[in-house]
Amino acid sequence: MPTSTRAITVVATSARLVVGAVVAVGVVAGVAAAVVAPWPVIEHTAASTQVTTVPGDPVLVCSGPFRALGRDSRDADQMQVAGEGRITVDGEPTSPVESTIATPDLVGGDGASVFTGSVEGRESAEIAASESLTLAEDDLTGLAAAPCAPATTQSWIIGGSVETGANDVLVLSNPGSVPATVTIQVYGGSPNPTTQVIPAATQIALPFASIAANATDPVVRITAEGARVRAVLQSALTRTLDPAGADLQGAAIEASDTLRFAGVQVVAPAEGTATNAVRLLAPDADAEARVVVRDQDGADAAEFAVPLTAGTPIDVALTDLELGTYSVEVTATTPMVGATWQSEGAGAGADFAWMTPAPALTEALFAVPAGPTPMLHLVNGADEDVSVQLSAAGRSTREVTVPAGASVTAPLRSSTVYRLVADDAVTAAVTMTQQGALAGWPVVSGATEQREITVYP
């Protein structure tokens, strides 16, 4: 009996083991099937809609009166008004409204002009303004001209000098309703940045020699907090005791690995002194830049490599160029900033001009101020011809064809606002030239931005 009982017990246990194994296999198979089979999903899609933002009112800040240094022997840093610019301005769909911001550090100044456009409905607004003045005084001569431009949170001034005879001034304008704190970093000079508070609706100016002392080929980075600021470089040069030119240079906004310049003029032969140059800076990393200078037919007039050391600006002379108009393209392995310099020479009564890079664009509203022989320079880097329409209020539209890989020049009227429309991207610049007068600046788009955003109720 004990043996039988033991046998039955063994059989029962074995049966339980077999059944358990079968159940386990079934569970595993079920889990595997569940992994392969899709799980039920409950989804909730949030309600949303796409909305195009209403563009803001565009605001352009002008450079204000041209400032003269050193006219008061008792106060060498005192700034006096040397001349007031003549402004050309218009806008679409309506003309902008003018206001002024204060210039408390300027003797005899009535303020700098600010133009504000208005948006009607949800349509993007555009305004364009530019200014110019001709200086013909014992201590200042030359043509100074530049577009009025928006205030930004970052600006690069690539130009200027602190050498003997240079009287350059960094002009900072805050058109906003709150103060701006500005950080000024000079490359090629002191590594320590300085800060400056600019009150609301105010323009101040700093002698270049005070912020970039001992700088070689200076480049200045301006960063604004609290409010946006517009930066401009006013330059004046004296050779011995003779004035030798004046200039207004706007700021570049950001670094790029490709810089393109339109309308670079060689107006005087280089007789022992370079009359054209390009200033370059790679702010963050070493790089090698490739500079290509092309004539209006698109043929290479010069090509060379330039090593760039991080944080160290360099001036590179553009030599052996015949008289004429050129485009310049600079490419590098890291983002950089740059500007071209052109001059009539170093003699008394000569003039010079700095020019920042020209962005690619297909449409722009731009203003041409009063001045001598204004010309529009158009550069086409594409493989096909580009058609450009130029129109001005009250005048018929002109069509200009820019051949593939080449550039053309079209005459403009002074004191006129133009609309440019191209069927493919071009770069463009305005120049003014005559004996003792030289100016140039890139054409940029002034349309206010309209973005599409997703709104969740």
Side-chain angles (χ1 to χ4, degrees):
M1 180 67 73
T3 303
S4 300
T5 304
R6 188 166 51 251
I8 294 171
T9 303
V10 171
V11 171
T13 301
S14 300
R16 286 197 298 269
L17 290 173
V18 172
V19 172
V22 172
V23 171
V25 171
V27 170
V28 172
V31 171
V35 171
V36 175
W39 288 80
V41 177
I42 299 176
E43 293 185 347
H44 294 283
T45 302
S48 65
T49 184
Q50 296 296 115
V51 176
T52 301
T53 59
V54 177
D57 293 340
V59 178
L60 298 180
V61 185
C62 297
S63 303
F66 200 91
R67 297 163 182 255
L69 285 170
R71 286 185 171 179
D72 187 340
S73 59
R74 297 166 298 179
D75 185 359
D77 290 334
Q78 184 189 84
M79 300 183 193
Q80 299 182 10
V81 174
E84 298 276 358
R86 296 163 292 177
I87 297 175
T88 299
V89 59
D90 204 352
E92 295 181 3
T94 60
S95 296
V97 176
E98 182 179 9
S99 59
T100 58
I101 56 177
T103 52
D105 60 350
L106 181 60
V107 177
D110 294 328
S113 293
V114 175
F115 293 95
T116 304
S118 60
V119 175
E120 294 187 352
R122 304 183 67 89
E123 294 298 320
S124 177
E126 284 186 273
I127 59 176
S130 61
E131 58 191 327
S132 65
L133 73 158
T134 300
L135 300 165
E137 303 188 34
D138 292 340
D139 58 344
L140 288 171
T141 61
L143 172 67
C148 306
T152 59
T153 56
Q154 177 176 273
S155 307
W156 292 89
I157 293 292
I158 310 107
S161 174
V162 294
E163 295 181 356
T164 301
N167 288 300
D168 294 356
V169 177
L170 177 63
V171 180
L172 302 173
S173 301
N174 173 12
S177 57
V178 297
T181 301
V182 171
T183 301
I184 301 171
Q185 174 69 63
V186 179
Y187 294 83
S190 170
N192 300 318
T194 59
T195 58
Q196 183 77 41
V197 176
I198 307 174
T202 299
Q203 180 186 89
I204 68 168
L206 305 171
F208 222 48
S210 69
I211 61 172
N214 303 317
T216 302
D217 309 330
V219 173
V220 180
R221 181 182 183 180
I222 301 103
T223 305
E225 295 182 353
R228 299 186 178 194
V229 167
R230 195 223 170 173
V232 175
L233 179 66
Q234 291 187 359
S235 298
L237 185 62
T238 300
R239 298 293 188 186
T240 313
L241 297 177
D242 297 317
D247 184 51
L248 284 174
Q249 183 198 2
I253 304 304
E254 59 185 4
S256 174
D257 57 10
T258 302
L259 307 176
R260 295 183 176 90
F261 302 89
V264 177
Q265 302 177 89
V266 178
V267 296
E271 298 176 350
T273 302
T275 59
N276 290 76
V278 58
R279 180 171 297 180
L280 298 171
L281 166 71
D284 300 320
D286 293 350
E288 180 168 283
R290 176 174 170 266
V291 180
V292 180
V293 183
R294 297 185 176 93
D295 62 21
Q296 289 197 290
D297 293 330
D300 291 355
E303 181 177 355
F304 51 90
V306 180
L308 302 178
T309 301
T312 303
I314 183 173
D315 273 8
V316 182
L318 302 179
T319 58
D320 301 325
L321 297 177
E322 297 181 356
L323 301 185
T325 303
Y326 299 84
S327 62
V328 177
E329 181 178 81
V330 186
T331 55
T333 53
T334 191
M336 60 186 167
V337 295
T340 60
W341 174 79
Q342 45 212 305
S343 77
E344 293 183 299
D351 201 11
F352 64 92
W354 287 96
M355 185 183 291
T356 52
L361 50 81
T362 57
E363 187 169 356
L365 191 72
F366 66 97
V368 181
T373 322
M375 304 292 288
L376 177 66
H377 301 266
L378 297 164
V379 181
N380 174 15
D383 296 329
E384 297 182 357
D385 295 356
V386 173
S387 175
V388 177
Q389 306 289 327
L390 274 180
S391 58
R395 297 186 177 91
S396 59
T397 298
R398 282 185 290 160
E399 182 174 351
V400 180
T401 299
V402 189
S407 60
V408 299
T409 302
L412 300 171
R413 292 178 179 267
S414 61
S415 305
T416 304
V417 174
Y418 286 88
R419 175 165 291 284
L420 178 155
V421 179
D423 60 10
D424 201 352
V426 295
T427 54
V430 176
T431 63
M432 293 181 166
T433 312
Q434 72 174 23
Q435 182 66 38
L438 191 61
W441 59 91
V443 175
V444 300
S445 176
T448 51
E449 185 180 12
Q450 288 180 277
R451 297 179 299 163
E452 190 173 78
I453 61 174
T454 302
V455 177
Y456 299 94

